[in-house]
Amino acid sequence: MYSLIKRLFDILFAVTGVLVFLPFFLPLAIILLLTGEHYVWYRQDRIGYKNKKFKIWKFATMLKASPSLGTGSITVKNDWRLTPMGKYLRGSKVNEIPQLINILTGEMTVVGPRPLMEVDFNKFTDDIKEVFYQCKPGLTGIASIVFRDEENLHNNHTIDPHVYDKLYIAPYKGKLEIWYKEHCSFYTDIMIIFLTIVVILLPKTKLPFKIFKDLPEIPEILK
């Protein structure tokens, strides 16, 4: 019953989101075409449900060659690969809105683990890989909330971003997504949607840990 109602909610949420955003699409598309590298859409392979790949939809925010430039799949604070509009779209999460298409097609859901590039998925241990995408990837999720300021984390140390990601961030993200798999429910999903809005407005808030008191504790190195 949970899976069925969740799918119906996904469709309702995605259709509503598309209709609400539609009036803003044309001006945004024109701005993107006139700035950066003059393209609107960004499509890329991501790992999805049952570890199968799919093409994610996003608004273009970075140079086309970004995966092979700089820090690759990791975006850092004030990343030089961002287009003029990119930093604003990413900061407000507007660049994620086209994923409503992925939700409508059933490749994604509203709440679930974020769909990762293969290079980042491979930073998890095999036991985490086996369970990480037993849930459909989501537009938002518990790890997305906890790591709202992930770009800043990479600016606060001198360790290579990918090494830091593999040693510290990936293990904790894995614990968070296992927690979600064990606690997924209508209440959990609704609260994650609510908290997503909160952390966009208040990135430093500790509210997720007050609402979900049994979340895995943040390692000291990530605080």
Side-chain angles (χ1 to χ4, degrees):
M1 182 62 69
Y2 168 67
S3 297
L4 175 60
I5 295 179
K6 182 165 184 168
R7 179 58 186 149
L8 292 175
F9 175 78
D10 285 344
I11 294 171
L12 179 61
F13 182 95
V15 169
T16 302
V18 168
L19 292 175
V20 169
F21 184 73
L22 207 53
F24 305 97
F25 169 71
L26 185 57
L28 179 56
I30 292 173
I31 293 171
L32 289 172
L33 286 172
L34 294 176
T35 59
E37 292 186 318
H38 315 296
Y39 69 113
V40 176
W41 305 112
Y42 173 74
R43 302 204 64 197
Q44 186 183 62
D45 283 339
R46 295 294 175 96
I47 307 298
Y49 186 54
K50 302 293 186 181
N51 296 350
K52 294 180 179 179
K53 291 182 181 179
F54 72 101
K55 290 281 188 183
I56 198 170
W57 286 84
K58 286 190 176 189
F59 282 122
T61 60
M62 304 185 79
L63 301 177
K64 292 179 182 179
S66 290
S68 59
L69 298 173
T71 50
S73 62
I74 293 176
T75 305
V76 296
K77 187 77 171 178
N78 299 319
D79 201 305
W80 63 270
R81 298 169 298 168
L82 288 168
T83 62
M85 277 292 293
K87 61 181 179 179
Y88 301 109
L89 295 179
R90 291 178 71 93
S92 62
K93 294 299 182 183
V94 170
N95 67 310
E96 310 285 0
I97 288 177
Q99 288 163 52
L100 295 172
I101 299 171
N102 293 116
I103 294 175
L104 282 173
T105 58
E107 296 164 315
M108 289 178 60
T109 183
V110 176
V111 178
R114 285 296 295 155
L116 299 172
M117 294 173 60
E118 186 171 16
V119 64
D120 294 318
F121 182 66
N122 286 335
K123 293 171 184 173
F124 294 113
T125 56
D126 289 342
D127 58 324
I128 297 297
K129 287 182 184 179
E130 288 178 6
V131 300
F132 199 87
Y133 286 123
Q134 292 301 308
C135 304
K136 284 185 181 180
L139 183 65
T140 187
I142 189 62
S144 301
I145 291 170
V146 172
F147 284 95
R148 173 66 178 92
D149 272 343
E150 186 172 344
E151 293 177 2
N152 283 327
L153 282 175
H154 290 294
N155 284 68
N156 293 334
H157 59 79
T158 57
I159 305 173
D160 176 271
H162 288 280
V163 174
Y164 185 79
D165 198 25
K166 183 173 183 177
L167 292 179
Y168 304 112
I169 295 179
Y172 186 57
K173 278 186 178 179
K175 289 180 180 180
L176 289 172
E177 297 304 353
I178 288 175
W179 175 92
Y180 175 73
K181 185 175 182 296
E182 293 173 347
H183 293 78
C184 56
S185 66
F186 299 120
Y187 170 78
T188 301
D189 288 351
I190 293 300
M191 292 312 299
I192 286 177
I193 293 170
F194 164 70
L195 288 169
T196 299
I197 298 170
V198 172
V199 299
I200 289 175
L201 299 174
L202 302 169
K204 301 296 185 181
T205 182
K206 302 297 183 184
L207 190 58
F209 291 90
K210 294 178 181 178
I211 290 179
F212 300 127
K213 298 182 184 300
D214 59 344
L215 280 176
E217 185 177 354
I218 299 179
E220 192 64 33
I221 196 168
L222 297 179
K223 292 182 179 178

